Every structure is written in C-alpha cells, then in structure tokens.
Amino acid sequence: MEKPTLFLTVGLPCTGKTTAARRIEIERKALRLTKDEWVKALYGPGNPPLAGAVIEGRLIQIALRALELGTNVVLDYGLWDRNERSALRRAALDVGATVELHYFALSPSEQRKRRDQRQADAPHTTWPMSDGELVEWAARFDVPTPGELDGGEPIDDPPAGFPTWYEWRTHRWPPSVH
C-alpha cells in the first residue's frame, strides 16, 4: 500500500492556496481541511486569533488520524512560520506519511489585485485585509527554503524550551480556547 501524503499549502493570503488545495483534493483524493472555512462557519465575520489557532489544532488532529488510516490530506492554512511547517513535517513522518509542501508567492500588486477581486466577488469567504496588513504579514513570513520544499533538508530541532515537536505543536495549537 502506498504511504499517504500530507500536502501543506504555504503562502500569504490571496496567493492561490485554496484554489490549489481544491485541485489537490480532487487529483490526489485528499481530505481538504481549510481553516478559514471552519472559522467562517463558527464565527461568521469574526476572526478571533486564539479560536483560529484552536481550530487549526483540531484540524491537525483530524489530519493526522486520516493519515494513520491511509488517507491523503491537504492542510490549507498558509503556514507562514518555518516552525509550523517543521512540526507538521515531523508529525506526518511520525504517523508514516510523506509530506509535500506547495509554496505560493505573488508580487504585492498581484496579491492586492486578487484581494480586491475576492472582496468584491465573494466577501462572505474572506475578511477585510488592508494594504498595511498585507505588508506587515509579508514581513513576518518565513519563505521556505528549496530544501524544505523538496524534502531534502532535515527537519529542524524544536525551538528552545520544547523537548519535542509534539510539545511545541500543543503549545502553538492549544486544545481549547481559554
């Protein structure tokens, strides 16, 4: 039996992650888990940061279980931080899955154009995003290295203070809203 694959979509808002996740879902028979769809369903126009982190964590639990059962999974989150990607790469390998990172990048002008189009055509699927927020988010984004993208680079050790990636994961994606 072929190993299941965890597909990770990596990129800033409005770069094509969800479109690609929908394609992967069909082409690779993958369970697609898109955080924004869950946050929208549960919170409507609100986008509470801690609730988003909890939803991501719950979806990761579902993803890991599906991988254990032999099902491909695509996580459609953005995964701006290298530590997030490293933690998920480690978790997938721990359950016997392979990992594919799919990175999406656009020029700032094309990203703004797509944002404006999305907000005009389907405002119920997104949240307002200012030009300033797009610039701020781009500054915080850890661009994946070529070795991270092709899987040839070893997974980093967990950050200081976390003996395992599992412990870091449960800190980053808490089990409940407090």
Short mmCIF file of all heavy atoms in Angstrom, two decimals, residues 107-129:
data_model
loop_
_atom_site.label_atom_id
_atom_site.label_comp_id
_atom_site.label_asym_id
_atom_site.label_seq_id
_atom_site.Cartn_x
_atom_site.Cartn_y
_atom_site.Cartn_z
N SER A 107 3.58 38.76 -6.55
CA SER A 107 4.04 40.13 -6.31
C SER A 107 3.00 40.82 -5.44
O SER A 107 1.80 40.47 -5.47
CB SER A 107 4.20 40.88 -7.62
OG SER A 107 2.91 41.10 -8.20
N PRO A 108 3.40 41.81 -4.64
CA PRO A 108 2.43 42.54 -3.82
C PRO A 108 1.29 43.13 -4.64
O PRO A 108 0.13 43.12 -4.19
CB PRO A 108 3.27 43.62 -3.14
CG PRO A 108 4.64 43.03 -3.06
CD PRO A 108 4.78 42.23 -4.34
N SER A 109 1.57 43.62 -5.83
CA SER A 109 0.50 44.22 -6.63
C SER A 109 -0.51 43.17 -7.08
O SER A 109 -1.73 43.41 -7.07
CB SER A 109 1.06 44.99 -7.83
OG SER A 109 1.77 44.12 -8.69
N GLU A 110 -0.04 41.99 -7.46
CA GLU A 110 -0.96 40.92 -7.87
C GLU A 110 -1.76 40.41 -6.66
O GLU A 110 -2.95 40.10 -6.77
CB GLU A 110 -0.19 39.77 -8.53
CG GLU A 110 -1.08 38.65 -9.05
CD GLU A 110 -2.07 39.07 -10.13
OE1 GLU A 110 -1.79 40.05 -10.87
OE2 GLU A 110 -3.12 38.42 -10.26
N GLN A 111 -1.12 40.33 -5.51
CA GLN A 111 -1.81 39.91 -4.29
C GLN A 111 -2.93 40.89 -3.96
O GLN A 111 -4.05 40.48 -3.64
CB GLN A 111 -0.81 39.80 -3.14
CG GLN A 111 -1.42 39.28 -1.85
CD GLN A 111 -0.46 39.36 -0.69
OE1 GLN A 111 0.49 40.15 -0.70
NE2 GLN A 111 -0.70 38.56 0.32
N ARG A 112 -2.65 42.20 -4.03
CA ARG A 112 -3.70 43.21 -3.76
C ARG A 112 -4.83 43.11 -4.77
O ARG A 112 -6.00 43.22 -4.42
CB ARG A 112 -3.09 44.61 -3.75
CG ARG A 112 -2.26 44.91 -2.50
CD ARG A 112 -1.88 46.39 -2.42
NE ARG A 112 -1.19 46.88 -3.60
CZ ARG A 112 0.13 46.78 -3.81
NH1 ARG A 112 0.90 46.22 -2.90
NH2 ARG A 112 0.66 47.27 -4.91
N LYS A 113 -4.47 42.88 -6.03
CA LYS A 113 -5.48 42.74 -7.08
C LYS A 113 -6.41 41.56 -6.78
O LYS A 113 -7.64 41.68 -6.87
CB LYS A 113 -4.79 42.56 -8.43
CG LYS A 113 -5.71 42.40 -9.60
CD LYS A 113 -4.90 42.23 -10.89
CE LYS A 113 -5.76 41.70 -12.00
NZ LYS A 113 -4.97 41.36 -13.19
N ARG A 114 -5.83 40.43 -6.39
CA ARG A 114 -6.64 39.25 -6.04
C ARG A 114 -7.49 39.50 -4.80
O ARG A 114 -8.63 39.07 -4.72
CB ARG A 114 -5.75 38.03 -5.84
CG ARG A 114 -5.21 37.48 -7.13
CD ARG A 114 -4.49 36.20 -6.85
NE ARG A 114 -3.92 35.61 -8.04
CZ ARG A 114 -3.42 34.39 -8.09
NH1 ARG A 114 -3.41 33.64 -7.01
NH2 ARG A 114 -2.91 33.93 -9.21
N ARG A 115 -6.90 40.18 -3.82
CA ARG A 115 -7.66 40.51 -2.60
C ARG A 115 -8.87 41.36 -2.96
O ARG A 115 -9.99 41.10 -2.52
CB ARG A 115 -6.77 41.25 -1.61
CG ARG A 115 -7.53 41.71 -0.36
CD ARG A 115 -7.11 43.04 0.22
NE ARG A 115 -6.91 44.10 -0.73
CZ ARG A 115 -6.08 45.11 -0.54
NH1 ARG A 115 -5.36 45.20 0.57
NH2 ARG A 115 -5.95 46.06 -1.45
N ASP A 116 -8.66 42.40 -3.76
CA ASP A 116 -9.76 43.28 -4.16
C ASP A 116 -10.83 42.52 -4.92
O ASP A 116 -12.03 42.73 -4.69
CB ASP A 116 -9.23 44.45 -5.00
CG ASP A 116 -8.31 45.38 -4.21
OD1 ASP A 116 -8.28 45.30 -2.96
OD2 ASP A 116 -7.59 46.17 -4.87
N GLN A 117 -10.41 41.62 -5.80
CA GLN A 117 -11.36 40.82 -6.58
C GLN A 117 -12.17 39.90 -5.66
O GLN A 117 -13.38 39.79 -5.79
CB GLN A 117 -10.63 40.01 -7.65
CG GLN A 117 -11.54 39.39 -8.66
CD GLN A 117 -12.23 40.43 -9.52
OE1 GLN A 117 -11.58 41.33 -10.04
NE2 GLN A 117 -13.53 40.34 -9.65
N ARG A 118 -11.49 39.25 -4.73
CA ARG A 118 -12.18 38.34 -3.81
C ARG A 118 -13.17 39.11 -2.94
O ARG A 118 -14.28 38.66 -2.73
CB ARG A 118 -11.16 37.62 -2.92
CG ARG A 118 -11.83 36.65 -1.95
CD ARG A 118 -10.88 36.10 -0.91
NE ARG A 118 -9.80 35.33 -1.50
CZ ARG A 118 -8.78 34.86 -0.78
NH1 ARG A 118 -8.70 35.09 0.52
NH2 ARG A 118 -7.83 34.16 -1.36
N GLN A 119 -12.76 40.26 -2.44
CA GLN A 119 -13.65 41.03 -1.58
C GLN A 119 -14.84 41.58 -2.36
O GLN A 119 -15.92 41.75 -1.80
CB GLN A 119 -12.88 42.13 -0.85
CG GLN A 119 -11.97 41.51 0.21
CD GLN A 119 -11.15 42.51 1.00
OE1 GLN A 119 -10.98 43.65 0.61
NE2 GLN A 119 -10.61 42.05 2.11
N ALA A 120 -14.67 41.81 -3.66
CA ALA A 120 -15.78 42.27 -4.50
C ALA A 120 -16.71 41.11 -4.87
O ALA A 120 -17.94 41.25 -4.83
CB ALA A 120 -15.25 42.94 -5.76
N ASP A 121 -16.14 39.96 -5.23
CA ASP A 121 -16.93 38.84 -5.73
C ASP A 121 -17.49 37.92 -4.65
O ASP A 121 -18.58 37.37 -4.82
CB ASP A 121 -16.08 37.96 -6.67
CG ASP A 121 -15.69 38.67 -7.95
OD1 ASP A 121 -16.29 39.74 -8.25
OD2 ASP A 121 -14.79 38.17 -8.65
N ALA A 122 -16.76 37.71 -3.57
CA ALA A 122 -17.17 36.74 -2.55
C ALA A 122 -16.77 37.21 -1.16
O ALA A 122 -15.99 36.55 -0.47
CB ALA A 122 -16.55 35.38 -2.87
N PRO A 123 -17.30 38.34 -0.72
CA PRO A 123 -16.88 38.87 0.58
C PRO A 123 -17.20 37.93 1.76
O PRO A 123 -16.53 38.00 2.79
CB PRO A 123 -17.66 40.18 0.70
CG PRO A 123 -18.81 40.04 -0.23
CD PRO A 123 -18.33 39.15 -1.34
N HIS A 124 -18.16 37.05 1.58
CA HIS A 124 -18.53 36.11 2.64
C HIS A 124 -17.46 35.03 2.86
O HIS A 124 -17.50 34.31 3.86
CB HIS A 124 -19.87 35.45 2.31
CG HIS A 124 -19.84 34.67 1.04
ND1 HIS A 124 -19.86 35.27 -0.20
CD2 HIS A 124 -19.75 33.33 0.82
CE1 HIS A 124 -19.79 34.35 -1.14
NE2 HIS A 124 -19.72 33.16 -0.55
N THR A 125 -16.49 34.91 1.96
CA THR A 125 -15.46 33.88 2.08
C THR A 125 -14.15 34.40 2.67
O THR A 125 -13.21 33.63 2.83
CB THR A 125 -15.14 33.26 0.71
OG1 THR A 125 -14.53 34.25 -0.12
CG2 THR A 125 -16.38 32.69 0.05
N THR A 126 -14.11 35.69 2.98
CA THR A 126 -12.84 36.28 3.40
C THR A 126 -13.10 37.35 4.46
O THR A 126 -14.24 37.61 4.84
CB THR A 126 -12.10 36.87 2.18
OG1 THR A 126 -10.78 37.22 2.56
CG2 THR A 126 -12.82 38.06 1.59
N TRP A 127 -12.03 37.93 4.94
CA TRP A 127 -12.09 39.04 5.88
C TRP A 127 -11.44 40.24 5.22
O TRP A 127 -10.56 40.08 4.37
CB TRP A 127 -11.34 38.70 7.17
CG TRP A 127 -12.03 37.67 7.98
CD1 TRP A 127 -13.00 37.87 8.90
CD2 TRP A 127 -11.81 36.26 7.94
NE1 TRP A 127 -13.40 36.67 9.43
CE2 TRP A 127 -12.69 35.66 8.86
CE3 TRP A 127 -10.97 35.43 7.21
CZ2 TRP A 127 -12.75 34.29 9.09
CZ3 TRP A 127 -11.02 34.06 7.42
CH2 TRP A 127 -11.90 33.51 8.35
N PRO A 128 -11.83 41.43 5.63
CA PRO A 128 -11.14 42.61 5.09
C PRO A 128 -9.66 42.57 5.43
O PRO A 128 -9.27 42.15 6.53
CB PRO A 128 -11.82 43.78 5.81
CG PRO A 128 -13.13 43.25 6.28
CD PRO A 128 -12.91 41.78 6.55
N MET A 129 -8.84 42.96 4.47
CA MET A 129 -7.38 43.00 4.65
C MET A 129 -6.89 44.30 4.06
O MET A 129 -7.12 44.56 2.87
CB MET A 129 -6.71 41.84 3.90
CG MET A 129 -7.01 40.48 4.43
SD MET A 129 -6.29 39.20 3.36
CE MET A 129 -7.78 38.56 2.59
#
